Amino acid sequence: MTLRVLVIDDHVIVREGLRRALGRDDSMRVVGEAASRNEAIAQISHHNPDVIVVDINLPDGSGLEVIAWARSLSQKIGIVALTIARLPEHILACLESGASAHVDKAAPLNELVSAIRQSAITPLTFNSRKMTSAIALRNQRIGLTQRELEILERLTSGDSVRQLAIELFLSESTVKTHLGSIYRKLEVSNRVQAINKARGIGLLPRSEEHTSELQSRFGIS
């Protein structure tokens, strides 16, 4: 399948360069370009691309707004943030807006191509070479301990408190204490909310389908 890609950047040289570069790959085709936030929204609506490549800095607003709008429109669209903004805060902003990947403009072309392909396959899983530092910053702000992070990751399995206790060699009361601390720090009140919040801020990979299964299993709407 040929991926239909839309390029969003306010610099015409960047757009033309990406069109030529991506055009040399038989697995993808640039179907359109946009130079601003408003134009990007119009082009996405018109072309319905498989993947968008978007810069954060646009003349009439932020590319993050485009990312958030596109993600609200579709859970299947791949979204690659291609930007010179490389601080952990910038990467987290891309993740929280709904991007599938962050790629530095100084990175080799094959890294961008790989990100585009991967974003089309797993649009709700965020990838970045600087992901570790970004998540470390996010966790530092929230204050989860290593044990709490481990329990948070295991919540997605759907295991009961008793099962978690057995797997982690802890008492059920200790697991419940950790869960209470996790909920408090994430400012949520139950397992599904904790998973959704953790996915939204990048502590867990996104998966709307799995969340629906957990909601049904635990009777939480």
Side-chain angles (χ1 to χ4, degrees):
M1 183 185 82
T2 301
L3 294 177
R4 302 167 64 257
V5 182
L6 178 71
V7 176
I8 305 164
D9 195 290
D10 60 332
H11 293 95
V12 63
I13 294 177
V14 174
R15 297 197 307 274
E16 291 180 352
L18 287 175
R19 178 183 283 276
R20 288 196 299 271
L22 298 179
R24 292 195 290 269
D25 191 305
D26 294 336
S27 68
M28 55 191 68
R29 176 170 63 92
V30 177
V31 295
E33 302 174 9
S36 67
R37 180 192 61 180
N38 291 339
E39 187 176 344
I41 291 174
Q43 289 293 311
I44 292 170
S45 298
H46 176 69
H47 290 289
N48 189 28
D50 300 306
V51 179
I52 62 173
V53 177
V54 55
D55 191 3
I56 291 178
N57 299 308
L58 297 174
D60 58 346
S62 170
L64 296 174
E65 296 173 318
V66 176
I67 293 172
W69 179 84
R71 179 57 67 220
S72 68
L73 192 70
S74 171
Q75 299 293 301
K76 296 181 179 180
I77 187 173
I79 304 175
V80 178
L82 179 66
T83 173
I84 59 173
R86 57 179 69 96
L87 293 175
E89 290 86 347
H90 298 144
I91 298 170
L92 281 174
C94 292
L95 182 154
E96 293 171 355
S97 296
S100 311
H102 169 277
V103 178
D104 194 314
K105 279 189 174 180
L109 177 62
N110 65 335
E111 186 174 326
L112 173 60
V113 170
S114 177
I116 291 174
R117 289 174 178 160
Q118 189 61 41
S119 71
I121 297 171
T122 56
L124 299 181
T125 299
F126 185 79
N127 293 290
S128 171
R129 292 187 66 181
K130 298 181 181 294
M131 188 62 180
T132 301
S133 60
I135 293 304
L137 174 63
R138 169 55 69 190
N139 186 45
Q140 180 181 355
R141 290 175 178 174
I142 295 175
L144 293 177
T145 67
Q146 191 60 42
R147 176 64 86 180
E148 288 168 351
L149 281 172
E150 184 179 7
I151 291 175
L152 177 62
E153 291 172 355
R154 289 173 180 264
L155 289 183
T156 60
S157 68
D159 289 344
S160 66
V161 170
R162 182 174 182 276
Q163 289 171 315
L164 290 173
I166 293 172
E167 292 168 3
L168 296 171
F169 302 100
L170 298 172
S171 68
E172 291 186 38
S173 61
T174 298
V175 172
K176 289 179 180 178
T177 298
H178 283 308
L179 286 174
S181 178
I182 292 170
Y183 296 165
R184 176 177 56 78
K185 291 176 180 179
L186 292 178
E187 299 180 336
V188 299
S189 59
N190 60 55
R191 177 188 297 239
V192 173
Q193 289 177 1
I195 292 171
N196 285 338
K197 181 70 174 287
R199 283 178 173 147
I201 61 179
L203 292 177
L204 293 174
R206 303 185 188 99
S207 176
E208 296 296 330
E209 182 178 350
H210 193 179
T211 297
S212 297
E213 292 176 2
L214 288 172
Q215 286 176 326
S216 176
R217 177 169 181 174
F218 290 96
I220 300 172
S221 59

